[in-house]
Amino acid sequence: MADITAYLYNKCGTCRKAKKWLEEQGIAYCEVPIVDTPPEKEQLRAYWQQSGLELKKFFNTSGQSYRELGLKDRLKDMSEEEMLDLLAADGKLIKRPLLVAEGKVTVGFKEEEMEKTWK
């Protein structure tokens, strides 16, 4: 399998769990700091479409940026384009870890999903 691109934030406990899991499984990955280098809009569009998830699932709902922008109430009225623009503009809005490789995408860290997708 090609290396996984792992969009991570080093101050995120969930990201640290995902890194530890990948390392324990001997799975190679390329780490990209999601806050400094968030995926671009078209990358996000592709990841979202490959994931099969609702676009709303890509938002870090427990983050400060999400709360400051009042997105809890605003997302339901936003277009996909507006959501993608927001995500691409602020890496802290993206739920993490975001792991991608060869048409596979996982958002967040659930061990059973990681096993199913990346092993």
Side-chain angles (χ1 to χ4, degrees), residues 1-2 27 41 73:
M1 177 189 285
I27 298 171
K41 182 178 179 179
D73 301 316

Side-chain angles (χ1 to χ4, degrees), residues 16-71:
R16 288 194 295 270
K17 282 185 200 167
K19 277 174 73 165
K20 183 175 186 240
W21 185 88
L22 288 166
E23 288 162 6
E24 285 172 352
Q25 308 308 314
I27 298 171
Y29 64 94
C30 172
E31 185 171 341
V32 177
I34 198 165
V35 175
D36 301 331
T37 315
E40 293 177 7
K41 182 178 179 179
E42 292 311 312
Q43 287 175 295
L44 284 163
R45 184 189 313 278
Y47 299 158
W48 161 51
Q49 290 170 342
Q50 290 165 0
S51 76
L53 297 169
E54 280 183 84
L55 187 51
K56 290 176 187 169
K57 298 282 186 198
F58 276 74
F59 281 85
N60 173 15
T61 56
S62 59
Q64 190 175 345
S65 294
Y66 185 87
R67 288 192 305 272
E68 285 173 0
L69 292 170
L71 293 177

Side-chain angles (χ1 to χ4, degrees), residues 4 9 13:
I4 294 170
Y9 180 51

